Amino acid sequence: MITVNELIKSYGTQRVLHGISHAQQKGEAVVIIGPSGCGKSTFLRCLNQLEAIDSGKITIAGITFDAQDGHRLTSDDREKQRQLRLRAGMVFQSFNLFPHLTVLENVIIGPIQVNGETGDTARERARDLLKKVGLQDRADFHPCQLSGGQQQRVAIARALAMQPEVMLFDEPTSALDPELRGEVLRVMRDLAEEGMTMMVVTHEMAFARAMADRILFFDRGVIAEEGTPEQVFTEPRQERTREFLRKVAETPG
């Protein structure tokens, strides 16, 4: 479902990703951990074509991208990006909901305006998704009337409304108070159990250990270690991984 070959990404003279390669099967849940500034979020943004890559190749949900000459997009590139956004949903740290729309309207706007669905079809699926994320009674609320955890669950429902084949999560709980994180993580765990292909960047180690099929440990723009949660968390091979996990364990909260 996701294949990455020798991905390189720089910002000016600062190289952020150093030739990353990765392959992920349909239905696999992969969690990326690592220190801040190691390239985790940049990697996700490259996958979803929010960042142009300098070198390498990415195939996600059957669509292949490589480096554009001088980052200039052709009409074919733009069409492939549009198709990718239909097949790969992304949930960010910030919720990015439309404040003037209700919860239901936020969820249906994509299917109607992008996919051309009828209002009745979009609303029926939206209500099912809001029930899935535990917000069926908040359909007519506006974002300002919701907690942060509720807003993030709306953002997840909005991404799922496009019926994606892949879901990408970029630290979806980092902006939430500790007591609100659990409600978002439960929704994500349910998605993994249902077989959604997922890639998640997170600092939630307990969540990563519980729901991931595979862990990638990023450090200084490379995949320094990968393996099952049991292997990475219990018997990490690399000293850098052991050092990171020790520091995370010593951090309060």
Side-chain angles (χ1 to χ4, degrees):
M1 184 62 72
I2 301 174
T3 305
V4 182
N5 294 307
E6 295 297 324
L7 173 59
I8 293 174
K9 172 63 182 176
S10 301
Y11 295 111
T13 59
Q14 181 68 38
R15 181 164 291 185
V16 180
L17 301 175
H18 300 262
I20 289 181
S21 295
H22 168 72
Q24 182 170 339
Q25 300 300 314
K26 179 179 175 63
E28 189 177 14
V30 171
V31 173
I32 302 175
I33 63 173
S36 297
C38 67
K40 307 184 300 294
S41 293
T42 298
F43 180 62
L44 239 60
R45 291 176 64 84
C46 288
L47 289 187
N48 205 36
Q49 289 293 290
L50 295 173
E51 298 283 357
I53 64 175
D54 300 324
S55 180
K57 183 177 291 187
I58 297 169
T59 300
I60 180 167
I63 305 172
T64 298
F65 300 90
D66 50 22
Q68 294 94 28
D69 182 20
H71 296 167
R72 291 190 298 270
L73 295 177
T74 66
S75 58
D76 286 344
D77 292 329
R78 293 191 181 89
E79 175 58 22
K80 286 199 298 182
Q81 287 185 345
R82 190 185 75 82
Q83 290 295 324
L84 177 64
R85 305 280 155 70
L86 298 178
R87 302 184 197 182
M90 189 158 180
V91 177
F92 300 87
Q93 299 176 35
S94 56
F95 319 126
N96 297 323
L97 301 177
F98 294 110
H100 62 291
L101 300 181
T102 66
V103 165
L104 184 68
E105 289 167 343
N106 266 280
V107 176
I108 68 175
I109 188 170
I112 291 175
Q113 293 196 359
V114 179
N115 285 354
E117 293 183 14
T118 65
D120 287 345
T121 299
R123 277 189 288 273
E124 182 178 0
R125 185 185 308 114
R127 292 190 186 279
D128 287 342
L129 289 170
L130 289 175
K131 183 177 181 180
K132 183 185 187 71
V133 301
L135 292 173
Q136 62 269 33
D137 60 343
R138 297 293 190 271
D140 296 325
F141 284 48
H142 284 79
C144 65
Q145 297 172 291
L146 305 178
S147 70
Q150 290 170 332
Q151 290 186 56
Q152 190 63 292
R153 284 186 280 157
V154 174
I156 294 172
R158 180 181 58 184
L160 292 172
M162 299 299 289
Q163 300 179 283
E165 299 176 40
V166 176
M167 284 289 288
L168 308 174
F169 294 88
D170 185 12
E171 298 190 26
T173 61
S174 65
L176 302 178
D177 293 334
E179 63 267 26
L180 299 178
R181 294 173 186 166
E183 59 194 57
V184 175
L185 296 176
R186 281 192 294 273
V187 171
M188 295 170 63
R189 187 178 292 113
D190 289 345
L191 288 175
E193 291 175 353
E194 292 167 7
M196 172 64 73
T197 305
M198 297 169 57
M199 183 172 285
V200 182
V201 170
T202 186
H203 291 291
E204 304 278 354
M205 296 299 112
F207 169 76
R209 188 167 190 164
M211 62 79 64
D213 295 308
R214 189 153 40 113
I215 301 287
L216 306 183
F217 172 62
F218 271 46
D219 186 47
R220 298 181 178 90
V222 301
I223 299 175
E225 183 157 358
E226 68 175 293
T228 65
E230 179 69 18
Q231 183 268 307
V232 171
F233 284 104
T234 305
E235 298 180 350
R237 292 183 290 267
Q238 304 299 323
E239 175 56 32
R240 183 67 186 93
T241 314
R242 291 192 288 272
E243 177 188 1
F244 170 78
L245 292 174
R246 279 197 301 269
K247 289 181 178 179
V248 169
E250 293 167 359
T251 302

